[in-house]
Amino acid sequence: MRLSLCWKVISLLLATSTAFAGVRISGTVFEKGTAKPLPLVNIFVLPEALQTTTNEAGEFVFADLPEGEREWIINVTGYKRFKEKFTYQKNHEAVKIYLEKISYTKFETTVVGKLDKRDPAKKTLQQKEFLQVPGAGGDPVRAVENLPGVGQSFDANVAIQGSPPEDTKYLIEGHELPFMFHFFGLNTVAVPETVKSVDFLSAGYGAEFGRAASGIINLNLRRPRTDRLHGMAFVDFTASGGYLEGKIGKTASRNFFVGGRYSYLGEVLKIGADIARKNSDDDNVPPAFSTAPTYYDFNLSYHDDRHERFKFSFITLAAKDKVVGTTSDAKSTIFSGTIFGEFEFFRLIPKLSYQFNPDEKLETSWAAGIDWQRFRPGRQKLNFTSQHYSWRSEYRKKFTPHYEWAVGTDFVYERFHNEVRAAEGFFSGDDALTPLAATKLLITEDTGDDLRQGYYLSNRITLIEDKLILTPNLRYDYFGSHAQGYLQPRGGVIYRINAAANAYFNSGLYYQPEQPFNLSKHTGNPKLEPSKSVHYALKYEHDFRQGSEDGIVVTSGLFYKDMRDLKLRSNAQIKTKNGLVPERFTNDGQGNVRGAELLLKYKQSRAHLNVGYTYTRSRRRAQDDKDYPSPQDQTHNLNLSASYAWNNYILASRFRYVTGTPYTPILGGIYFENADTYVPVSGAKFAERNQDFWQLDVRLDRRWIFNTWILSLYLDVQNVTLRDNQVGTAYSFDYSQSEPTYFIPILPTFGIKGEF
Amino acid sequence: MRNFFLLLLIASACNAPDFKDFSQLGELRIMGIVADTPEIDGTRSDDVQVVLTPYLSHISGGARKFTVVVVSCLDPSLSQETNQGCLDPKFAAYPNGNTFDTQVLAEDNFTGAMDAVTITIVNPAAQLAAFSPQQRYNGVNYVVIFRLEHGATNLTAVKAIPISERKTLNRNPEIKDITLVQQAAAKTLAPLNVDVSFTDAGGEESYTEMSADGSIDRLTESYFITWFYYTGKIKPRRILLGQSSKYQPTPRKNTLVAVVRDRRGGTAVKVRQLPGS
């Protein structure tokens, strides 16, 4: 009996060992579409219920799998269940498994409630928010229009809380550019997919930035992904482009990014202009483009993280716009003939950072480049060239858990050369109605320097068990063009009412220097002072989500801005030691803006709803004069946007309502014989309003997920209801007739994108 | 810089309003004002007289007697803020008791030269004295404002005459004639196209301008010609010297007017009546 039992045991052991003398199978688990390796994924093989787990690189090994067909199962949260049968033998090649996410259109979570922001006056839009918002065409700066406090405009220029667009400063990586938009209002000079986020700083913004009376828009470029080589290519209605990014060498400590875009929008415009010319009468002949307007932009970066504490990166940016056309506008003796425009710049931006310890860091960056702006309408010429150098540096230290500070510099130096042979009216400001032909011919050549130095000190003091945070800041700016320095105290208070609610108060003094051509004795007034603005902003934020990703977040606030020394046009002659000269501008303007904002953000699984509302009263006046509405006095601004994601689709829409903008009515015209043109006789300043603006935009995105790449299609239609939104008013040659002018009634954009 | 490009995009894509034609005659118009001296010597301390002749058209209005007021002064600056108001206006006496009756132009389709008016510029040198060297050299405008009124019909026109210290003063361009050159007809019943141009006895002058740093630039004038017509069509209606326009006539009799300007205050006007076919 004992002997047969032994034999049975031995037989069983032999049988088992034969059964488990199997195949070695290795492989990698990736995320489908992005080909991102997935770590810590459990893989089960049936029926034996064998199991292994992927490592940090997504790799796995089954050392001893039975030969033949087996069923593999993988269940990971956020991914569709993987269940497939494999048949393999010895020397089987490496297996690649692609797990498909449940949704590729899930929105990024915004964590609110735990306040850790350096500047409460700053709102940030992440890439996913601006790429898919309807009506913005994927443009990062246009998408800012969806935020409360931002005025409506027909171009991409941003008017913040009732202030003019020229009081908004645009930066990339903290450094100024000569222009942020192609053709001064189309779209941003960077491929949207290369931008990580857009910072929007409004009333009461901190001391790190300056030289802008209203606010700041700063683009932060994305760092390259380093897991492998990635790329993207797109084609849409107006442009094509793409990028490549990845690591250099075997480790991820050195990486690169290169991208660019070329626009053929001009070909579309050329066709449109040719059709319009055939249908036009001679008083309103659109220009003929001999060379279609084009633009391109380019971005190259290198990042070096080999050292644990020391980081280095180098960014290159370039952009160019060009248009050549001819026009024979019967109303104008200025724009008849050939019109040539070429606007370009490049920037080299090296950046260094050194982390001394977790509480102490030094960051510094420079920018160097050249700007060219050449504009030749007819026989006139405006050439502006400048060399640009800027430097930003910040040292930040946390002394105790309750106190930290930052000191920094913000310098800009420009050497410019301007050649002008053009009607003086080009420099009169955008509110000038006098035809250019009626203004004098100006012939000048200017060379000069402009140094703008900025220094700042930011403090953050936490009290009462982190419930109260004080941020007293100070900024000092020296404007070389004005030969004067300006101390600007700023700061605020943050009060954490409870875990879900915060209250903020920010205030500050802001100076904005004048543009060089407004200070030139040829085109401006050398005695002009910078404009000044005092901001006050009160905000309350409540997060109703109780730690969940879904739910409601509400932000509301009040703002007030008091503005002094604003630039106004002057027709006076002033006495100088050389005799009477035209004054052209004074600092006699004053104004104020008051308003309220409300933002409600609701998220529920696949649905997203934003409601933004701004009430604004923006007034201006000259000294001892009656006040009048400013052109940015858009009393009510309501923005409703909603989106829903399902099965790799996203459907989004945006409705916007804005009170019509004020304008100065024209009562008639006076014939100015020398220029053979009529000069308008205007009524009370900004006494009339354009029609109210409202518009519905819709966008549909669809993705197809392949193993190693993703294909996206989008259709973005602006103004689906064909609403005639008034841009302004057109007048007959003698101003005796007028009619509203409307923006393009509908603007569909269709695009296709592939990324790997 | 004005937001030119965005307007360019909108203009190229949108339909234009149906406004009245700049060059079509009919309503009360002043097409040009010729000053016998388009630029005044700013070194003269004696009074200088300038004779101005406005050219008017009022075809649809017919014979009317307009009240004419002529005011002149140193330029208050032509812009919306000042509304063209002279601070120290000088009134000039207009012939016929400050009136002009368009009946005198009846045979010319109520289109032609008005009575000339003489204005006196007192001591040009003294008027310039307070200005900077650049403004004195390049010229400070002396404006003459014409206001015509008849009931609800009125018109205001401004002629600017620079007072300058240039050694060589500006002269008016001249028009010899308006020439219609007939082209061969296409095999259709459409009206014939003709080239319309003018020949000038003068020519684009060269002149000098002082920049703010005192340097002198030598430049050349650039004439532009504006056409006016009563019937038919002329395309393009504004051309540079050396270019020509096409004229599409109608069977009705027509009035053609060519006005040439040198962009510095110099003007010449030629009126031509064309019989109907």
Side-chain angles (χ1 to χ4, degrees):
Chain A
M1 178 69 98
R2 191 179 291 172
L3 189 61
S4 63
L5 184 61
C6 285
W7 277 116
K8 279 182 184 172
V9 169
I10 290 167
S11 302
L12 186 61
L13 283 171
L14 282 172
T16 310
S17 66
T18 303
F20 281 84
V23 175
R24 186 178 189 282
I25 300 291
S26 63
T28 313
V29 177
F30 301 97
E31 180 179 274
K32 191 174 183 181
T34 64
K36 185 174 75 175
L38 295 176
L40 304 176
V41 169
N42 293 321
I43 308 169
F44 296 89
V45 175
L46 300 180
E48 288 84 359
L50 300 171
Q51 182 224 326
T52 189
T53 306
T54 59
N55 62 13
E56 284 300 315
E59 297 160 336
F60 67 89
V61 173
F62 279 105
D64 203 10
L65 272 184
E67 275 191 61
E69 187 181 86
R70 291 293 183 277
E71 190 174 60
W72 290 40
I73 296 185
I74 303 174
N75 263 327
V76 181
T77 304
Y79 293 83
K80 292 181 180 174
R81 189 166 188 258
F82 178 85
K83 185 177 169 183
E84 270 191 35
K85 289 188 176 169
F86 287 120
T87 304
Y88 35 77
Q89 296 152 348
K90 279 186 183 172
N91 302 317
H92 196 278
E93 62 184 20
V95 173
K96 289 182 182 174
I97 297 175
Y98 294 92
L99 293 190
E100 184 172 343
K101 283 169 76 170
I102 288 173
S103 170
Y104 286 81
T105 55
K106 190 167 187 261
F107 295 103
E108 295 289 332
T109 306
T110 307
V111 177
V112 178
K114 189 97 174 131
L115 180 65
D116 197 22
K117 286 188 284 192
R118 236 177 102 166
D119 190 345
K122 181 165 83 173
K123 299 182 187 89
T124 299
L125 279 182
Q126 301 296 334
Q127 189 189 82
K128 282 220 158 126
E129 293 176 89
F130 61 72
L131 279 185
Q132 289 160 356
V133 69
D139 188 86
V141 180
R142 281 183 170 278
V144 168
E145 252 190 14
N146 284 352
L147 296 173
V150 179
Q152 180 274 332
S153 70
F154 290 97
D155 57 30
N157 290 293
V158 177
I160 300 177
Q161 290 165 331
S163 293
E166 51 267 25
D167 284 1
T168 303
K169 188 165 285 299
Y170 302 94
L171 310 172
I172 281 188
E173 297 282 332
H175 293 274
E176 296 176 22
L177 296 179
F179 55 91
M180 179 58 92
F181 308 107
H182 289 293
F183 290 124
F184 297 98
L186 267 186
N187 43 27
T188 313
V189 293
V191 176
E193 286 82 358
T194 69
V195 177
K196 179 183 120 191
S197 61
V198 187
D199 296 329
F200 167 62
L201 286 79
S202 57
Y205 69 87
E208 294 83 357
F209 296 103
R211 301 189 284 264
S214 166
I216 305 281
I217 304 280
N218 180 42
L219 300 191
N220 302 302
L221 298 179
R222 192 164 64 73
R223 287 199 53 139
R225 289 171 286 181
T226 57
D227 54 322
R228 61 182 179 89
L229 184 69
H230 288 274
M232 182 276 290
F234 77 92
V235 175
D236 70 23
F237 190 53
T238 61
S240 296
Y243 64 76
L244 277 176
E245 59 181 331
K247 60 188 177 191
I248 299 172
K250 288 189 180 167
T251 67
S253 57
R254 291 189 303 148
N255 43 79
F256 77 98
F257 185 104
V258 59
R261 170 175 56 174
Y262 178 79
S263 170
Y264 34 76
L265 168 68
E267 297 296 340
V268 176
L269 283 179
K270 199 162 180 290
I271 294 168
D274 288 344
I275 294 170
R277 283 171 71 83
K278 281 182 192 157
N279 296 328
S280 73
D281 62 52
D282 289 338
D283 266 336
N284 296 284
V285 179
F289 296 110
S290 55
T291 304
T294 57
Y295 69 76
Y296 77 76
D297 46 58
F298 173 77
N299 169 11
L300 169 71
S301 67
Y302 166 76
H303 302 264
D304 196 321
D305 299 331
R306 281 177 288 181
H307 194 279
E308 189 189 332
R309 296 185 184 188
F310 176 77
K311 312 286 178 201
F312 169 75
S313 63
F314 192 91
I315 298 169
T316 302
L317 292 166
K320 179 170 178 171
D321 298 350
K322 184 170 178 176
V323 61
V324 183
T326 54
T327 179
S328 55
D329 184 351
K331 286 210 300 285
S332 169
T333 54
I334 292 283
F335 290 110
S336 289
T338 302
I339 299 179
F340 172 88
E342 197 169 59
F343 310 91
E344 54 185 318
F345 73 88
F346 77 86
R347 288 288 183 274
L348 308 173
I349 306 177
K351 299 177 76 166
L352 296 172
S353 73
Y354 189 83
Q355 187 90 42
F356 296 93
N357 52 60
D359 296 328
E360 198 176 352
K361 188 175 186 180
L362 172 68
E363 288 181 307
T364 190
S365 65
W366 301 266
I370 304 180
D371 311 331
W372 298 270
Q373 298 189 53
R374 295 175 278 261
F375 183 47
R376 291 198 281 277
R379 293 165 65 95
Q380 315 208 34
K381 178 170 79 169
L382 298 98
N383 284 352
F384 305 103
T385 308
S386 71
Q387 299 170 33
H388 176 100
Y389 307 94
S390 53
W391 170 43
R392 288 190 65 87
S393 189
E394 180 177 282
Y395 170 72
R396 173 165 284 275
K397 185 174 171 75
K398 192 169 185 176
F399 291 92
T400 73
H402 304 290
Y403 177 62
E404 63 181 274
W405 78 332
V407 291
T409 58
D410 176 15
F411 278 33
V412 175
Y413 170 76
E414 286 179 334
R415 179 151 184 83
F416 59 85
H417 178 74
N418 300 334
E419 281 181 73
V420 172
R421 187 189 183 282
E424 199 172 23
F426 274 105
F427 304 96
S428 298
D430 281 341
D431 61 339
L433 293 177
T434 306
L436 292 173
T439 61
K440 282 186 183 170
L441 182 69
L442 196 65
I443 302 172
T444 74
E445 196 164 337
D446 256 331
T447 300
D449 303 279
D450 185 16
L451 174 63
R452 304 190 281 278
Q453 304 175 43
Y455 308 86
Y456 63 88
L457 168 66
S458 298
N459 298 281
R460 188 179 171 88
I461 305 163
T462 312
L463 304 169
I464 316 178
E465 294 177 354
D466 294 351
K467 278 178 91 69
L468 188 67
I469 300 170
L470 305 178
T471 57
N473 302 326
L474 190 63
R475 184 178 172 100
Y476 175 80
D477 275 298
Y478 180 83
F479 301 141
S481 51
H482 294 281
Q484 202 159 343
Y486 301 89
L487 205 57
Q488 298 152 83
R490 299 177 192 175
V493 178
I494 305 164
Y495 181 60
R496 297 198 63 197
I497 300 164
N498 53 48
N502 302 293
Y504 316 79
F505 173 75
N506 294 303
S507 180
L509 174 60
Y510 304 82
Y511 283 94
Q512 178 164 321
E514 273 303 327
Q515 303 272 3
F517 52 77
N518 288 333
L519 293 167
S520 162
K521 60 184 177 183
H522 307 299
T523 55
N525 182 349
K527 294 195 173 150
L528 263 187
E529 299 282 333
S531 62
K532 182 168 88 173
S533 184
V534 179
H535 296 181
Y536 306 91
L538 188 64
K539 197 158 63 171
Y540 173 75
E541 197 170 56
H542 198 118
D543 185 358
F544 291 92
R545 300 176 300 174
Q546 297 177 334
S548 161
E549 282 188 17
D550 296 338
I552 297 174
V553 179
V554 177
T555 310
S556 61
L558 303 170
F559 58 88
Y560 179 80
K561 292 193 275 195
D562 181 56
M563 296 173 283
R564 305 283 165 143
D565 301 329
L566 301 180
K567 184 179 88 224
L568 286 181
R569 281 192 299 122
S570 166
N571 300 304
Q573 298 270 344
I574 50 170
K575 275 188 187 166
T576 67
K577 60 182 180 187
N578 292 326
L580 290 176
V581 296
E583 187 174 41
R584 296 196 187 95
F585 298 111
T586 67
N587 282 112
D588 289 343
Q590 297 176 13
N592 63 71
V593 183
R594 61 197 75 183
E597 296 174 357
L598 173 70
L599 177 63
L600 184 150
K601 296 175 87 162
Y602 170 74
K603 182 174 172 294
Q604 184 66 42
S605 182
R606 301 164 185 228
H608 221 198
L609 174 68
N610 281 0
V611 179
Y613 171 75
T614 311
Y615 171 82
T616 309
R617 288 268 298 167
S618 177
R619 313 290 293 182
R620 299 284 182 276
R621 66 184 174 93
Q623 273 183 0
D624 303 325
D625 206 351
K626 207 171 63 156
D627 77 353
Y628 51 87
S630 84
Q632 289 77 39
D633 186 59
Q634 296 177 339
T635 316
H636 303 288
N637 186 333
L638 174 68
N639 197 314
L640 301 170
S641 60
S643 57
Y644 183 74
W646 81 101
N647 293 343
N648 295 323
Y649 284 90
I650 300 179
L651 179 65
S653 69
R654 178 182 76 164
F655 174 79
R656 192 160 196 197
Y657 168 83
V658 184
T659 309
T661 50
Y663 69 94
T664 301
I666 293 176
L667 306 177
I670 289 175
Y671 182 57
F672 180 45
E673 192 276 342
N674 295 55
D676 193 23
T677 190
Y678 282 73
V679 175
V681 175
S682 43
K685 265 197 156 124
F686 298 104
E688 303 284 337
R689 283 192 181 264
N690 287 325
Q691 297 160 8
D692 289 352
F693 168 95
W694 63 262
Q695 179 168 302
L696 179 66
D697 308 317
V698 175
R699 183 182 171 107
L700 179 66
D701 285 82
R702 166 71 163 112
R703 287 180 162 185
W704 288 269
I705 314 300
F706 302 95
N707 278 346
T708 55
W709 68 290
I710 298 174
L711 177 69
S712 305
L713 278 182
Y714 75 85
L715 175 64
D716 188 321
V717 183
Q718 294 181 38
N719 199 19
V720 294
T721 58
L722 300 172
R723 159 81 176 170
D724 281 332
N725 281 311
Q726 187 177 3
V727 177
T729 306
Y731 295 91
S732 59
F733 64 89
D734 60 356
Y735 299 94
S736 63
Q737 296 172 301
S738 67
E739 255 189 44
T741 54
Y742 300 104
F743 198 57
I744 300 163
I746 188 165
L747 190 61
T749 312
F750 175 78
I752 181 168
K753 179 169 75 176
E755 49 196 323
F756 65 93
Chain B
M1 191 182 297
R2 298 181 183 199
N3 201 339
F4 166 70
F5 287 104
L6 195 61
L7 295 175
L8 202 67
L9 295 177
I10 296 172
S12 69
C14 300
N15 287 327
D18 190 19
F19 290 148
K20 53 189 176 183
D21 189 329
F22 179 87
S23 287
Q24 185 146 39
L25 299 174
E27 292 179 1
L28 177 64
R29 295 288 296 273
I30 285 184
M31 301 161 294
I33 303 173
V34 178
D36 65 344
T37 316
E39 190 171 16
I40 305 300
D41 183 354
T43 64
R44 287 175 64 169
S45 53
D46 56 320
D47 297 350
V48 173
Q49 292 195 324
V50 181
V51 178
L52 293 115
T53 307
Y55 283 76
L56 169 150
S57 176
H58 196 199
I59 299 173
S60 57
R64 296 208 189 178
K65 196 170 182 180
F66 285 91
T67 306
V68 183
V69 175
V70 182
V71 171
S72 64
C73 61
L74 215 55
D75 188 2
S77 185
L78 291 166
S79 72
Q80 56 179 339
E81 274 81 24
T82 63
N83 230 7
Q84 291 77 39
C86 276
L87 293 174
D88 179 25
K90 303 269 184 298
F91 289 87
Y94 192 77
N96 302 314
N98 292 320
T99 63
F100 178 73
D101 192 340
T102 57
Q103 178 60 43
V104 306
L105 298 173
E107 281 188 13
D108 291 321
N109 215 5
F110 300 100
T111 302
M114 290 172 62
D115 294 325
V117 64
T118 302
I119 61 143
T120 302
I121 300 175
V122 174
N123 194 345
Q127 303 237 26
L128 275 195
F131 290 90
S132 64
Q134 183 194 20
Q135 290 200 91
R136 295 203 309 269
Y137 187 92
N138 293 335
V140 176
N141 283 336
Y142 193 85
V143 297
V144 184
I145 304 170
F146 290 81
R147 184 157 177 88
L148 279 67
E149 268 190 39
H150 174 87
T153 306
N154 60 74
L155 180 147
T156 303
V158 178
K159 174 79 175 182
I161 306 169
I163 307 173
S164 82
E165 293 178 347
R166 282 195 184 87
K167 289 190 176 123
T168 307
L169 300 174
N170 189 26
R171 294 173 301 168
N172 283 318
E174 295 175 32
I175 302 177
K176 239 189 196 172
D177 200 358
I178 295 173
T179 314
L180 289 89
V181 178
Q182 211 160 15
Q183 301 277 329
K187 293 180 182 173
T188 66
L189 296 177
L192 293 171
N193 280 334
V194 290
D195 278 327
V196 185
S197 62
F198 76 95
T199 55
D200 69 300
E204 291 168 330
E205 300 174 281
S206 66
Y207 65 101
T208 52
E209 282 268 324
M210 180 186 284
S211 55
D213 60 6
S215 60
I216 304 290
D217 296 307
R218 183 160 285 279
L219 306 161
T220 306
E221 285 177 342
S222 168
Y223 287 178
F224 71 94
I225 302 103
T226 308
W227 292 105
F228 296 91
Y229 51 85
Y230 179 52
T231 65
K233 213 152 185 71
I234 291 185
K235 269 187 174 187
R237 292 194 299 273
R238 208 177 252 148
I239 53 175
L240 302 176
L241 185 65
Q243 297 174 337
S244 62
S245 304
K246 293 234 184 272
Y247 167 53
Q248 193 176 66
T250 67
R252 297 162 65 187
K253 66 177 184 176
N254 201 0
T255 301
L256 283 186
V257 181
V259 182
V260 60
R261 291 181 173 84
D262 63 9
R263 305 180 204 253
R264 298 169 60 212
T267 305
V269 182
K270 188 83 174 175
V271 180
R272 182 153 172 184
Q273 304 295 340
L274 298 178
S277 55

PDB file of all heavy atoms in Angstrom, chain A residues 25-36:
ATOM      1  N   ILE A  25       7.802  34.180 -22.232  1.00  0.00           N
ATOM      2  CA  ILE A  25       7.175  35.248 -23.019  1.00  0.00           C
ATOM      3  C   ILE A  25       7.446  36.583 -22.332  1.00  0.00           C
ATOM      4  O   ILE A  25       7.205  36.735 -21.136  1.00  0.00           O
ATOM      5  CB  ILE A  25       5.644  35.051 -23.130  1.00  0.00           C
ATOM      6  CG1 ILE A  25       5.306  33.728 -23.795  1.00  0.00           C
ATOM      7  CG2 ILE A  25       5.011  36.228 -23.887  1.00  0.00           C
ATOM      8  CD1 ILE A  25       5.656  33.653 -25.263  1.00  0.00           C
ATOM      9  N   SER A  26       7.946  37.543 -23.120  1.00  0.00           N
ATOM     10  CA  SER A  26       8.133  38.901 -22.570  1.00  0.00           C
ATOM     11  C   SER A  26       7.364  39.899 -23.422  1.00  0.00           C
ATOM     12  O   SER A  26       6.936  39.577 -24.537  1.00  0.00           O
ATOM     13  CB  SER A  26       9.618  39.260 -22.560  1.00  0.00           C
ATOM     14  OG  SER A  26      10.095  39.287 -23.887  1.00  0.00           O
ATOM     15  N   GLY A  27       7.203  41.072 -22.916  1.00  0.00           N
ATOM     16  CA  GLY A  27       6.484  42.077 -23.693  1.00  0.00           C
ATOM     17  C   GLY A  27       6.338  43.382 -22.933  1.00  0.00           C
ATOM     18  O   GLY A  27       6.952  43.570 -21.881  1.00  0.00           O
ATOM     19  N   THR A  28       5.526  44.239 -23.481  1.00  0.00           N
ATOM     20  CA  THR A  28       5.293  45.561 -22.883  1.00  0.00           C
ATOM     21  C   THR A  28       3.818  45.898 -23.027  1.00  0.00           C
ATOM     22  O   THR A  28       3.190  45.576 -24.051  1.00  0.00           O
ATOM     23  CB  THR A  28       6.132  46.640 -23.578  1.00  0.00           C
ATOM     24  OG1 THR A  28       7.472  46.182 -23.718  1.00  0.00           O
ATOM     25  CG2 THR A  28       6.131  47.947 -22.800  1.00  0.00           C
ATOM     26  N   VAL A  29       3.296  46.569 -22.008  1.00  0.00           N
ATOM     27  CA  VAL A  29       1.913  47.052 -22.057  1.00  0.00           C
ATOM     28  C   VAL A  29       1.952  48.559 -22.280  1.00  0.00           C
ATOM     29  O   VAL A  29       2.631  49.281 -21.541  1.00  0.00           O
ATOM     30  CB  VAL A  29       1.163  46.723 -20.751  1.00  0.00           C
ATOM     31  CG1 VAL A  29      -0.254  47.291 -20.799  1.00  0.00           C
ATOM     32  CG2 VAL A  29       1.110  45.202 -20.542  1.00  0.00           C
ATOM     33  N   PHE A  30       1.236  49.032 -23.308  1.00  0.00           N
ATOM     34  CA  PHE A  30       1.185  50.452 -23.643  1.00  0.00           C
ATOM     35  C   PHE A  30      -0.241  50.963 -23.538  1.00  0.00           C
ATOM     36  O   PHE A  30      -1.205  50.189 -23.610  1.00  0.00           O
ATOM     37  CB  PHE A  30       1.641  50.695 -25.094  1.00  0.00           C
ATOM     38  CG  PHE A  30       3.027  50.248 -25.405  1.00  0.00           C
ATOM     39  CD1 PHE A  30       3.257  49.003 -25.994  1.00  0.00           C
ATOM     40  CD2 PHE A  30       4.115  51.067 -25.152  1.00  0.00           C
ATOM     41  CE1 PHE A  30       4.537  48.594 -26.318  1.00  0.00           C
ATOM     42  CE2 PHE A  30       5.397  50.665 -25.463  1.00  0.00           C
ATOM     43  CZ  PHE A  30       5.610  49.428 -26.045  1.00  0.00           C
ATOM     44  N   GLU A  31      -0.332  52.280 -23.449  1.00  0.00           N
ATOM     45  CA  GLU A  31      -1.638  52.912 -23.561  1.00  0.00           C
ATOM     46  C   GLU A  31      -1.909  53.103 -25.050  1.00  0.00           C
ATOM     47  O   GLU A  31      -1.062  53.636 -25.782  1.00  0.00           O
ATOM     48  CB  GLU A  31      -1.625  54.264 -22.842  1.00  0.00           C
ATOM     49  CG  GLU A  31      -2.954  55.005 -22.909  1.00  0.00           C
ATOM     50  CD  GLU A  31      -2.889  56.324 -22.169  1.00  0.00           C
ATOM     51  OE1 GLU A  31      -3.118  56.354 -20.946  1.00  0.00           O
ATOM     52  OE2 GLU A  31      -2.591  57.347 -22.832  1.00  0.00           O
ATOM     53  N   LYS A  32      -3.062  52.720 -25.499  1.00  0.00           N
ATOM     54  CA  LYS A  32      -3.401  52.809 -26.916  1.00  0.00           C
ATOM     55  C   LYS A  32      -3.514  54.276 -27.336  1.00  0.00           C
ATOM     56  O   LYS A  32      -4.088  55.098 -26.612  1.00  0.00           O
ATOM     57  CB  LYS A  32      -4.737  52.107 -27.184  1.00  0.00           C
ATOM     58  CG  LYS A  32      -5.039  51.905 -28.664  1.00  0.00           C
ATOM     59  CD  LYS A  32      -6.299  51.082 -28.851  1.00  0.00           C
ATOM     60  CE  LYS A  32      -6.532  50.822 -30.330  1.00  0.00           C
ATOM     61  NZ  LYS A  32      -7.766  50.032 -30.556  1.00  0.00           N
ATOM     62  N   GLY A  33      -2.943  54.580 -28.494  1.00  0.00           N
ATOM     63  CA  GLY A  33      -3.021  55.946 -28.999  1.00  0.00           C
ATOM     64  C   GLY A  33      -1.783  56.754 -28.663  1.00  0.00           C
ATOM     65  O   GLY A  33      -1.152  57.329 -29.530  1.00  0.00           O
ATOM     66  N   THR A  34      -1.407  56.751 -27.397  1.00  0.00           N
ATOM     67  CA  THR A  34      -0.241  57.541 -26.992  1.00  0.00           C
ATOM     68  C   THR A  34       1.021  56.708 -26.925  1.00  0.00           C
ATOM     69  O   THR A  34       2.114  57.246 -26.839  1.00  0.00           O
ATOM     70  CB  THR A  34      -0.463  58.180 -25.611  1.00  0.00           C
ATOM     71  OG1 THR A  34      -0.584  57.134 -24.643  1.00  0.00           O
ATOM     72  CG2 THR A  34      -1.724  59.024 -25.601  1.00  0.00           C
ATOM     73  N   ALA A  35       0.849  55.323 -26.931  1.00  0.00           N
ATOM     74  CA  ALA A  35       1.978  54.404 -26.796  1.00  0.00           C
ATOM     75  C   ALA A  35       2.785  54.677 -25.540  1.00  0.00           C
ATOM     76  O   ALA A  35       3.996  54.459 -25.504  1.00  0.00           O
ATOM     77  CB  ALA A  35       2.879  54.472 -28.037  1.00  0.00           C
ATOM     78  N   LYS A  36       2.121  55.133 -24.517  1.00  0.00           N
ATOM     79  CA  LYS A  36       2.799  55.400 -23.244  1.00  0.00           C
ATOM     80  C   LYS A  36       2.886  54.078 -22.479  1.00  0.00           C
ATOM     81  O   LYS A  36       1.881  53.405 -22.284  1.00  0.00           O
ATOM     82  CB  LYS A  36       1.980  56.411 -22.456  1.00  0.00           C
ATOM     83  CG  LYS A  36       2.615  56.871 -21.165  1.00  0.00           C
ATOM     84  CD  LYS A  36       1.795  57.985 -20.505  1.00  0.00           C
ATOM     85  CE  LYS A  36       0.554  57.457 -19.862  1.00  0.00           C
ATOM     86  NZ  LYS A  36      -0.199  58.476 -19.119  1.00  0.00           N
TER      87      LYS A  36
END
